[in-house]
């Protein structure tokens, strides 16, 4: 039995070896001797990866003539099996195991029992450490753990000596793991290829053997304290962002972060002489191996959370705190994350970011809206993502099929390339429509505007031939900024957007912060239980009117000498609109007093995204110049279904009678009042949904730039009158599956639904 004392003794002796000035080979020879001594085994051997094969590099007990001669491929024999699975193995009777491969040159006939562990670096097996005993015996868990500890130290030694380089290890891992296909939910359409980069990179442990155990213990205490503080503050923010599953995960984090057992196990590992980092990794390796044998999906997920947390603790300890964005992307990248905020996504270098894969995610979460605007395909709700994908793996995101191809085989890469050509051809066809009107076959004209929010977005106006910007989300500037953007910066952005738009209209929406758009410097007074329905958007803006006044002045000045279009978000009752408009109007006097010019005209609009407002349209409509239906929020409030909650992501259909009837009601009321209506939610950017909207009388859409081409193609291939008639009948007959009906009719009509 190897008790803590013996483990400590092994590490003490390894420490001396590591510190010695002998050559790498001599060090390996010393290590096998120490292992055999301390474990009382007749044999101890080290196999290392060389040219894709596992080569016997050092042994105590087997024939020395086999060193650098005996070689096994990945998956071959017990050693190859351990390397391939990256799992420890122990057997009382090795020869009875189906994977046993007899190697006469080693002289191993006399040994019955066998135990081996992988030597791992950056999630790749770079070798195997094995012991053999003459007598058949079972190995105790502490013995396996002692071997694993030695393997960690060996990993440091091997890397330091340059015996196996990282690239070689990664290649071997990829070759040996083989391709995999994971399913997910298409959140932003498109295909992309690149290397997996984790948003929160895994920490690589550089030092395993401690110089000073007391100091390591203290480092751990400090790191735990910091981690607990972080979790507590994230819990606070989660109240604000209200992001569904996110909260559950934080609860689990919190449970583990305060779990005495976990901290104790890490401390025990430190007691044996490991650094705090190595001790965490040591404990985590055991958790991971247990994870693989658990069937219960709930428990597995919780253990993945613990893995995540261990990585956080490692990041704190090692000071490697930056995200992949801050470290900079190198080449074509597929970003891998559990979830992201819109601001986090915007930090990435657009030239290299080709795609995003998330374990969570939902269609109308703001990060997805941002990704859509950036033209970056996103696949969400990919289960087992972190279990299947390692950093550096080649990935293909196939949005159309809702699939992630991991380490794709050559044939898959070929079909990806074919898909790209096809997509490019389709894009060319859409580009050819750029200057043609969005006119249906039977002569109905649809205004196609685009949604925007960042300075660079306006360039898409010319590229797509959009009729203007129907929704400019001004809060994006606040989201990407570490501090509150001052008036000058706001004004500069608005001027720039207006200049790019030229004669085309731009509708500026005043800041809509809150819900899943959190801004740290404004979160002070946001302690809502349910932030989507809390102190957000216009409520926050009217409450902190200083903010709104500054924005109003920035808008008024930016639009001097031309028409200014302002729209207010999240209005629940008409008086809120009146108050917001009065607030803007009051700023005019100030601008004039300061000697600045005013816009020639100001048009005020209201977003319709809170169901209550629909009941008072008769009061609202006479007050406004235009309205815009925000289906993202309207749907979430109509169905009482959090738009950011991945579990609800595909539960409600935009083509359900409730939504279509409510929009039809708005359209009819607005038409009677002679007020133009736009639909600016994500719904309008999907061809079938847009067709449904047109069929209920919507004549203006504001959509993501990438959707302009496909939607225009759809409009130009549709005969609207018969569809409008059919739609009214379906909506009046409850129980009709409108999606199926519309799809069938559209196919029969030959409507282009890309
Ligand atoms: C909406 O709610 O539909 C909308 C367009 O606004 P946002 O997505 O920014 O909340
Ligand atoms: Mg909204």
């Amino acid at each position: 039995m190897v008790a803590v004392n013996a483990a400590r003794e092994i590490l003490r002796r390894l420490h001396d070896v590591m510190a010695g000035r002998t050559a790498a080979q001599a060090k390996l020879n010393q290590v096998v001797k120490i292992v055999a001594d301390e474990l009382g085994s007749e044999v101890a051997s080290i196999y290392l990866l060389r040219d894709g094969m596992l080569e016997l590099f050092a042994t105590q007990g087997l024939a020395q003539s086999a060193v650098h001669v005996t070689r096994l491929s990945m998956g071959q024999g017990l050693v190859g099996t351990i390397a391939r699975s990256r799992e420890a193995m122990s057997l009382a009777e090795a020869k009875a195991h189906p994977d046993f491969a007899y190697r006469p040159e080693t002289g191993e006939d006399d040994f019955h029992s066998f135990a081996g562990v992988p030597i791992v670096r950056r999630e790749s097996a770079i070798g195997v450490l094995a012991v053999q005993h003459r007598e058949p015996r079972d190995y105790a868990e502490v013995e396996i753990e002692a071997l694993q500890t030695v393997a960690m130290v060996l990993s440091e030694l091997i890397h330091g000596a340059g015996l196996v380089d990282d690239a070689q290890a990664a290649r071997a891992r990829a070759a040996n793991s083989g391709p995999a296909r994971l399913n997910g939910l298409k959140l932003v359409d498109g295909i992309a290829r690149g290397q997996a980069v984790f948003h929160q990179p895994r920490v690589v442990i550089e030092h395993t053997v401690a110089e000073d155990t007391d100091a390591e213990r203290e480092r751990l205490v400090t790191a735990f304290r910091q981690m607990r503080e972080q979790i507590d503050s994230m819990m606070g923010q989660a109240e604000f962002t209200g992001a569904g599953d996110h909260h559950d995960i934080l609860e689990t984090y919190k449970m583990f972060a305060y779990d005495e057992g976990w901290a104790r196990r890490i401390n025990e590992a430190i007691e044996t002489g490991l650094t705090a980092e190595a001790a965490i990794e040591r404990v985590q390796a055991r958790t991971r191996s247990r994870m693989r044998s658990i069937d219960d999906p709930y428990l597995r997920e919780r253990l993945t959370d613990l893995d995540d947390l261990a990585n956080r603790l490692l990041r704190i300890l090692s000071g490697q705190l930056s995200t992949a964005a801050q470290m900079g992307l190198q080449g074509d990248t597929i970003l891998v994350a559990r979830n992201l905020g819109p601001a986090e996504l915007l930090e990435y270098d657009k030239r290299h970011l080709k795609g995003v894969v998330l374990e969570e995610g939902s269609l109308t979460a703001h990060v997805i809206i941002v990704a859509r605007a950036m033209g970056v395909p996103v696949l969400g709700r990919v289960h087992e993502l972190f279990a299947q994908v390692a950093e550096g793996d080649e990935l293909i995101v196939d949005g159309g099929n809702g699939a992630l191809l991991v380490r794709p085989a050559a044939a898959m890469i070929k079909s990806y390339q074919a898909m790209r050509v096809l997509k490019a051809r389709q894009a060319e066809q859409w580009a050819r429509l750029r200057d043609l009107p969005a006119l249906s076959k039977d002569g109905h004209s649809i205004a196609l505007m685009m949604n925007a929010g960042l300075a660079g977005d306006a360039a898409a106006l010319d590229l797509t031939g959009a009729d203007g910007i129907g929704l400019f989300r001004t809060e994006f500037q606040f989201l990407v900024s570490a501090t509150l953007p001052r008036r000058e910066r706001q004004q500069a952005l608005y001027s720039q957007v207006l200049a790019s738009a030229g004669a085309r209209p731009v509708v500026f929406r005043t800041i809509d912060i809150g819900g899943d758009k959190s801004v740290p410097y404004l979160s002070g007074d946001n302690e809502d239980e349910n932030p989507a329905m809390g102190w957000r958007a216009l409520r926050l803006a009217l409450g902190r009117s200083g903010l709104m006044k500054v924005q109003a002045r920035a808008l008024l000045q930016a639009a001097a000498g031309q028409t200014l279009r302002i729209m207010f978000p999240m209005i629940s009752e008409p008086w809120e609109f009146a108050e917001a408009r009065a607030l803007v109007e009051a700023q005019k006097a100030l601008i004039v007093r300061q000697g600045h010019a005013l816009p020639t005209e100001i048009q005020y609009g209201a977003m319709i995204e809170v169901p209550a407002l629909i009941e008072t349209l008769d009061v609202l409509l006479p007050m406004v110049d235009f309205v815009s239906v925000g289906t993202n929020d309207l749907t979430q409030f109509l169905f009482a279904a959090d738009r950011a909650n991945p579990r609800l992501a595909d539960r409600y259909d935009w083509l359900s009678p409730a939504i279509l009837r409510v929009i039809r009601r708005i359209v009819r009321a607005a038409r009677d009042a002679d007020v133009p209506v736009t639909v600016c939610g994500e719904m309008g950017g999907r061809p079938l949904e847009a067709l449904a909207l047109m069929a209920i009388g919507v004549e203006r859409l504001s959509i993501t730039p990438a959707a302009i081409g496909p939607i225009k193609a759809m409009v130009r291939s549709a005969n609207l009158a018969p569809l409008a008639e059919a739609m009214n009948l379906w909506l009046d007959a409850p129980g009709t599956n409108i999606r199926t009906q519309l799809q069938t009719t559209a196919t029969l009509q030959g409507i282009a639904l890309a």
Side-chain angles (χ1 to χ4, degrees), residues 496-510:
Q496 192 186 335
V497 173
L498 285 168
S500 314
R504 291 163 292 199
V506 178
V507 177
F508 289 101
R509 178 177 73 184
T510 57

Side-chain angles (χ1 to χ4, degrees), residues 62-63 65-66 69-70 72 100-110:
L62 293 182
S65 53
V69 171
T70 295
L72 295 153
F100 180 79
Y102 178 56
R103 286 305 164 110
E105 75 273 13
T106 59
E108 61 185 343
D109 303 65
D110 300 339

Side-chain angles (χ1 to χ4, degrees), residues 593-729:
R593 234 181 296 139
Q594 287 171 346
H596 301 297
L598 285 175
T600 47
E601 184 197 357
I602 307 178
Q603 294 183 3
Y604 291 98
M607 282 200 74
I608 303 185
E609 46 187 351
V610 179
L613 191 61
I614 300 164
E615 290 298 331
T616 47
L617 282 177
D618 54 332
V619 184
L620 178 85
L621 289 171
M623 300 161 72
V624 300
D625 297 305
F626 61 92
V627 291
S628 195
V629 185
T631 49
N632 303 336
D633 277 312
L634 185 58
T635 312
Q636 95 164 332
F637 296 127
L638 218 47
F639 284 126
D642 184 348
R643 63 193 267 186
N645 187 337
R647 271 176 297 187
L648 302 176
D650 45 14
R651 189 169 180 116
Y652 301 102
D653 190 350
W654 271 317
L655 296 187
S656 63
I659 295 178
L660 292 175
R661 280 186 187 179
V662 107
I663 300 176
R664 182 175 66 173
R665 204 172 136 199
I666 299 168
V667 170
R668 287 177 176 168
R671 191 182 295 152
D672 292 346
D674 205 16
V675 170
V677 191
T678 306
V679 171
C680 65
E682 299 308 297
M683 174 182 180
R686 297 158 68 101
L688 198 64
E689 279 78 351
L691 184 62
L693 290 170
M694 282 160 52
I696 55 173
V698 172
E699 291 174 347
R700 306 168 64 79
L701 295 174
S702 189
I703 56 185
T704 191
I708 301 267
I711 297 292
K712 197 184 275 185
M714 180 277 287
V715 174
R716 291 176 61 85
S717 60
N719 228 333
L720 209 53
L723 275 171
E725 205 172 306
M727 180 61 89
N728 277 329
L729 289 176

